[in-house]
């Protein structure tokens, strides 16, 4: 009809509402709440499937009741923001399924890897469609976040393919640049999430630069760039572990024997060589020049990896022993190798416990200014030194168990025997600290003196050895001085307490009052509600709580009145015989009454 103005497509597009999806925050909360906090990709994939089912039902966008009918999501279909959520969770489900295959114990085989790449291609497909629809149906921030998400998925696919490193680098950089810009605006929470995602992307970018050849980063240095935790780094860490495993396999091919205290044990198993080589690489990092700058948490995690590697090596050695049969020469070599690995494992265990002792000592000597921080008790240090004594004893017995020891083994056994004595001196010192905190001055004084004698004995033996441990000598000197000062303090404190006992006793007796004590005993909780006094006593005392008397005292209870009816005998009651029923008598009753 004439006069009716039809709206142009441009005006319809301008008048249509723009949806807003906080992509990064939505995904982060879903991932952390449904499995990815513990790297459980199976649980997260099931959550995505259930979420998609709920979205389909709420939008009435199901794919037929019986036969499957495909329904595509196009620009005209998106009338609610939940249609965009469908595309996002489709991409997340495909990605989490791929990562689930990537996290298999022995890694994906060839068939599983093909399936993994197929799921990543699906994730890229859904993420690209999500970015395209957000560009037309979403606001500017949603469009940028969707574009960064699609770029990250493309980079992940290229990263896993091990071929097109330049494309992977380009997509990771694009995602990083977008998140850098988004991290400058919005709420504080969104800015923090964007910065965390930038930190998660940096290791993958550096690894791509290394593979392209634009970085002089060494393969052994790649472990330092994966310190940031997050789902975006799981693929990078798996790839890095595979690269390092290949490098170790190449190095292990040239590793024919294991040298230990003058003995050379041949290593025939490739798995054993790789495990031992992995442990030795980590030991170099622990004992290297940069070891002092490493935080304690990092050292403990490295020790855990060393233990895992040595346990794998021992498992391989034990399986080789079981398969050796009657070959005596092979069994002798394998038993010697098992013993050497066990000794190395014991040494690292003692070193790890020393790190724990260092942490505990730093908290023990710290002032109690910060009440929220837990202070180490001397009993905890006693327990740690008990473990050290047991470990050194086991190590000494393991090395000295054979009859004919060479010079290196004899020196090693004497070294750890002295370390065991040093640990006994340290244990005795902190046991004395425990008695001192309990107020037992005589026991604490005796233990301090005994610890000092043990420390001096260890010092004399160490000074007789040419190449002795200077750090241990320094620790024993400090321990001897501390024992001397603490024994003097305990002696003086004990004498002062003994001198004050008569004074305290006389003062206590003079202040005793039976009336006051009686009054004090009568103040129970229900009788003393008007005054603010504790009914359970002061903290740290052994006073009896005054909440309520138990058993409760007897109380007088009113009884029912006693009625004495004295007027009963003087009352004449009327006769009621005329109202009583008369018995009818028969003939026989009349005759015989």
């Amino acid at each position: 009809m004439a006069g009716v103005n039809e709206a142009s497509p441009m005006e319809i597009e301008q008048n249509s509402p723009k949806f807003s999806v906080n992509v990064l925050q939505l995904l982060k909360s879903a991932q952390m709440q449904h499995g990815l906090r513990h790297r459980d990709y199976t649980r997260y994939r099931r959550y995505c499937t259930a979420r998609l089912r709920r979205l389909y039902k709420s939008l009435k966008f199901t794919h037929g009741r019986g036969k499957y009918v495909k329904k595509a999501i196009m620009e005209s279909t998106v009338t609610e923001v939940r249609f965009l959520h469908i595309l996002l969770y489709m991409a997340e489900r495909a990605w989490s399924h791929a990562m689930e295959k990537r996290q298999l114990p022995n890694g994906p085989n060839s068939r599983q890897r093909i399936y993994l790449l197929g799921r990543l291609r699906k994730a890229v497909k859904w993420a690209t469609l999500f970015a395209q629809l957000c560009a037309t149906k979403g606001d500017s921030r949603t469009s940028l976040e969707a574009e960064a998400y699609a770029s990250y998925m493309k980079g992940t696919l290229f990263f896993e393919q091990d071929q097109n490193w330049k494309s992977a680098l380009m997509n990771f950089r694009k995602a990083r640049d977008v998140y850098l810009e988004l991290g400058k605006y919005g709420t504080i929470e969104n800015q923090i999430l964007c910065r965390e995602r930038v930190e998660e992307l940096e290791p993958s970018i550096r690894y791509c630069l290394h593979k392209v050849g634009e970085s002089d980063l060494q393969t052994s240095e790649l472990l330092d760039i994966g310190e940031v935790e997050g789902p975006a780094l799981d693929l990078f860490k798996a790839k890095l572990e595979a690269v390092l495993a290949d490098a170790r396999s190449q190095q292990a091919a040239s590793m024919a024997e294991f040298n230990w205290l003058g003995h050379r044990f041949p290593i025939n198993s490739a798995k054993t060589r790789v495990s031992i080589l992995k442990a030795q690489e980590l030991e170099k990092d622990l004992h290297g020049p940069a070891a002092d700058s490493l935080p304690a948490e990092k050292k403990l995690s490295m020790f855990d990896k060393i233990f895992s590697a040595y346990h794998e090596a021992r498992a391989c050695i034990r399986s080789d022993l079981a398969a050796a049969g009657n070959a005596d020469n092979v069994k002798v070599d394998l038993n010697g190798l098992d013993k050497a690995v066990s000794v190395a494992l014991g040494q690292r265990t003692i070193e790890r416990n020393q790190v724990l002792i260092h942490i505990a000592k730093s908290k023990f000597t710290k002032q109690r200014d910060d009440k929220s921080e837990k202070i180490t008790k001397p009993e905890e240090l006693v327990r740690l030194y008990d473990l050290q004594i047991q470990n050194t004893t086991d190590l000494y017995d393991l090395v000295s168990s054979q009859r004919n020891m060479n010079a290196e083994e004899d020196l090693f056994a004497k070294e750890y025997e002295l370390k065991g004595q040093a640990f006994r001196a340290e244990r005795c010192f902190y046991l004395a600290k425990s008695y001192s905190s309990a107020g037992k001055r005589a026991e604490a004084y005796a233990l301090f003196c005994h610890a000092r004698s043990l420390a001096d004995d260890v010092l004399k033996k160490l000074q007789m050895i040419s190449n002795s441990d200077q750090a241990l000598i320094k620790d024993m000197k400090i321990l001897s001085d501390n024992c001397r000062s603490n024994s003097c303090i305990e002696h003086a404190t004990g004498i002062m307490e003994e001198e004050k006992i008569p004074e305290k006793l006389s003062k206590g007796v003079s202040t005793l009052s039976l009336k006051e004590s009686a009054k004090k005993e009568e103040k129970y909780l229900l009788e003393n509600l008007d005054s603010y006094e504790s009914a359970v006593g002061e903290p740290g005392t052994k006073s009896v709580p005054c909440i309520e008397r138990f058993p409760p005292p007897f109380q007088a209870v009113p009884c029912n009145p006693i009625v004495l009816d004295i007027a009963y005998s003087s009352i004449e009651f009327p006769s009621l015989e005329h109202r009583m029923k008369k018995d009818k008598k028969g003939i026989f009753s009349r005759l015989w009454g």
Side-chain angles (χ1 to χ4, degrees):
M1 292 176 62
V4 178
N5 297 324
E6 294 183 357
S8 63
M10 185 66 68
E11 292 176 354
I12 294 174
E13 185 178 351
Q14 290 177 355
N15 294 330
S16 61
K18 294 290 186 180
F19 302 116
S20 178
V21 181
N22 199 335
V23 179
L24 194 56
Q25 187 175 3
L26 179 66
L27 292 182
K28 193 73 174 179
S29 61
Q31 290 173 357
M32 292 297 104
Q33 292 176 17
H34 299 94
L36 291 201
R37 187 185 298 273
H38 308 291
R39 302 294 181 266
D40 190 354
Y41 287 97
T42 304
R43 179 184 166 193
Y44 183 60
R45 176 174 62 84
R46 290 172 180 169
Y47 162 74
C48 292
T49 303
R51 178 67 178 149
L52 284 169
R53 189 182 300 114
R54 291 194 296 268
L55 287 171
Y56 285 141
K57 286 185 178 180
S58 64
L59 290 170
K60 297 180 180 179
F61 195 69
T62 55
H63 300 80
R65 294 180 62 87
K67 185 179 178 181
Y68 178 80
V69 179
K70 184 178 180 181
K71 288 185 179 180
I73 298 179
M74 298 178 292
E75 185 177 345
S76 59
T77 313
V78 182
T79 56
E80 290 188 34
V81 71
R82 287 179 291 175
F83 284 101
L84 297 178
H85 286 184
I86 288 177
L87 297 174
L88 182 60
Y89 281 107
M90 289 288 282
E92 281 292 291
R93 181 174 67 172
W95 170 78
S96 59
H97 202 175
M99 295 302 297
E100 179 186 346
K101 296 297 180 184
R102 198 71 181 82
Q103 296 287 338
L104 291 174
N106 295 324
N109 54 32
S110 58
R111 293 178 62 86
Q112 291 169 342
R113 179 169 170 75
I114 293 170
Y115 184 77
L116 184 153
L117 292 174
R119 298 310 298 167
L120 284 179
R121 290 190 187 96
K122 280 284 186 181
V124 170
K125 171 193 168 183
W126 293 115
T128 306
L129 182 58
F130 174 68
Q132 291 172 359
L133 292 181
C134 285
T136 56
K137 291 290 185 176
D139 56 12
S140 57
R141 183 180 179 88
T142 302
S143 176
L144 280 175
E145 284 201 59
E147 191 65 33
Y149 179 73
S151 299
Y152 166 70
M153 283 297 175
K154 292 176 185 175
T156 303
L157 174 61
F158 291 130
F159 191 91
E160 179 62 30
Q161 285 177 341
D162 286 342
Q163 292 176 356
N164 204 342
W165 294 104
K166 289 185 178 180
S167 299
L169 178 62
M170 181 185 67
N171 283 282
F172 281 139
R173 278 178 169 172
K174 184 178 179 181
R176 181 193 62 181
D177 295 340
V178 172
Y179 285 125
L180 279 173
E181 289 299 320
L182 291 175
K184 299 176 183 177
Y185 310 103
T187 61
I188 299 297
E189 185 179 359
N190 285 333
Q191 292 180 20
I192 292 173
L193 288 175
C194 290
R195 290 168 189 166
E196 287 179 355
R197 180 50 67 99
V198 169
E199 292 177 358
E200 291 175 5
L201 288 172
E202 281 296 332
S204 300
I205 292 173
R206 294 182 66 182
Y207 185 78
C208 292
L209 285 172
H210 170 68
K211 298 298 287 187
V212 169
E214 298 180 10
S215 173
D216 55 353
L217 199 66
Q218 299 296 324
T219 305
S220 59
E221 299 174 4
L222 290 171
L223 285 173
D224 299 330
I225 67 176
E227 296 301 323
V228 184
E229 295 292 333
L233 274 175
D234 288 343
L235 184 62
F236 164 74
K237 289 182 176 179
K239 183 73 66 178
L240 182 60
E241 188 62 33
V243 171
L244 291 178
D246 292 338
R248 289 193 195 103
S249 299
Q250 294 175 3
Q251 294 180 11
S254 60
M255 183 181 179
E257 55 188 17
F258 183 73
N259 297 326
W260 175 76
L261 296 181
H263 298 281
R264 293 185 177 183
F265 302 106
I267 307 175
N268 299 321
S269 174
K271 291 183 179 180
T272 308
R273 288 198 294 264
V274 170
S275 300
I276 293 175
L277 190 61
K278 180 181 178 182
Q280 288 178 348
E281 288 178 358
L282 292 168
E283 287 173 356
K284 287 179 182 177
D285 295 336
L286 271 176
H287 302 124
D292 296 334
S293 60
L294 290 175
E297 291 78 10
K298 179 70 181 298
K299 287 183 178 180
L300 293 176
S301 64
M302 293 175 72
F303 274 118
D304 292 339
K305 293 177 182 177
I306 291 173
F307 295 154
S308 176
Y310 274 131
H311 283 304
E312 288 177 4
R314 290 186 66 186
C316 294
I317 294 169
R318 301 284 169 84
S319 61
D320 292 341
L321 268 172
N326 297 324
D328 294 337
N329 295 331
V330 176
K331 280 189 173 182
V332 169
D333 292 336
L334 287 174
N335 283 322
L337 182 61
D338 183 43
K339 179 180 176 180
V341 172
S342 300
V343 170
L345 188 60
Q347 288 179 279
R348 302 295 87 79
T349 304
I350 292 172
E351 291 174 6
R352 179 182 179 274
N353 289 342
Q354 281 297 108
V355 175
L356 294 175
I357 288 171
H358 179 72
I359 296 171
K361 281 184 177 180
S362 64
K363 293 181 180 179
F364 179 76
T365 56
K366 194 175 291 184
Q367 298 294 328
R368 296 177 180 265
D369 296 333
D370 189 5
K371 294 183 180 180
S372 62
E373 188 174 359
K374 185 179 178 182
I375 307 297
T376 302
K377 296 180 180 179
E379 292 83 0
E380 297 177 17
L381 282 161
V382 171
R383 181 183 60 83
L384 288 172
Y385 277 113
D386 280 333
L387 292 175
Q388 290 292 73
I389 293 169
Q390 184 63 43
N391 291 329
T392 50
T393 304
D394 294 342
L395 206 58
Y396 175 79
D397 293 340
L398 186 62
V399 175
S400 60
S401 59
Q402 60 185 7
R403 296 180 179 178
N404 299 321
M405 293 194 301
N406 57 22
E408 292 185 17
E409 289 175 330
D410 187 43
L411 187 63
F412 183 88
K414 289 180 180 178
E415 177 186 353
Y416 276 89
E417 186 181 7
L418 284 177
K419 283 187 177 182
Q421 294 177 6
F423 293 147
R424 285 186 178 88
E426 294 273 6
R427 179 188 177 277
C428 191
F429 175 78
Y430 287 103
L431 188 61
K433 282 282 187 183
S434 176
Y435 275 101
S436 175
S437 61
K440 298 180 179 180
R441 307 298 173 191
E443 292 87 346
Y445 175 76
L447 286 170
F448 278 129
C449 293
H450 184 58
R452 186 187 176 191
S453 65
L454 289 175
D456 292 341
D457 188 23
V458 174
L459 269 175
K460 290 179 182 177
K461 292 181 179 179
L462 285 172
Q463 289 171 356
M464 294 171 61
I465 302 174
S466 58
N467 297 325
S468 56
D469 190 355
Q470 296 299 322
L472 186 59
I473 291 175
K474 183 180 177 181
D475 291 341
M476 288 298 103
K477 286 181 179 179
I478 294 173
L479 179 63
S480 179
D481 295 338
N482 289 337
C483 289
R484 183 177 180 276
S485 59
N486 280 278
S487 62
C488 294
I489 292 170
E490 291 299 321
H491 193 194
T493 307
I495 292 173
M496 290 171 63
E497 290 178 354
E498 288 288 335
E499 293 291 333
K500 289 181 180 179
I501 285 176
E503 182 182 351
K504 286 183 180 179
L505 186 61
S506 61
K507 185 178 179 181
V509 171
S510 63
T511 56
L512 284 176
S513 175
L514 296 178
K515 293 182 180 179
E516 290 181 2
S517 62
K519 287 181 181 178
K520 201 167 186 181
E521 289 176 0
E522 291 176 359
K523 288 184 179 180
Y524 288 93
L525 180 61
L526 293 177
E527 301 169 357
N528 199 25
L529 295 176
D530 296 335
S531 61
Y532 188 77
E533 293 183 7
S534 175
V536 295
E538 297 296 328
T541 61
K542 295 182 179 180
S543 58
V544 179
C546 298
I547 299 174
E548 183 56 48
R549 290 184 179 91
F550 188 82
F554 290 100
Q555 294 182 358
V557 180
C559 299
N560 293 329
I562 300 174
V563 179
L564 299 175
D565 197 353
I566 59 175
Y568 178 77
S569 60
S570 60
I571 295 175
E572 292 183 3
F573 295 98
S575 178
L576 298 175
E577 290 182 358
H578 64 279
R579 299 183 64 179
M580 294 176 64
K581 186 178 180 181
K582 295 181 179 180
D583 296 335
K584 294 181 179 181
K585 297 182 179 180
I587 298 173
F588 294 101
S589 62
R590 289 175 186 175
L591 294 175
W592 285 283

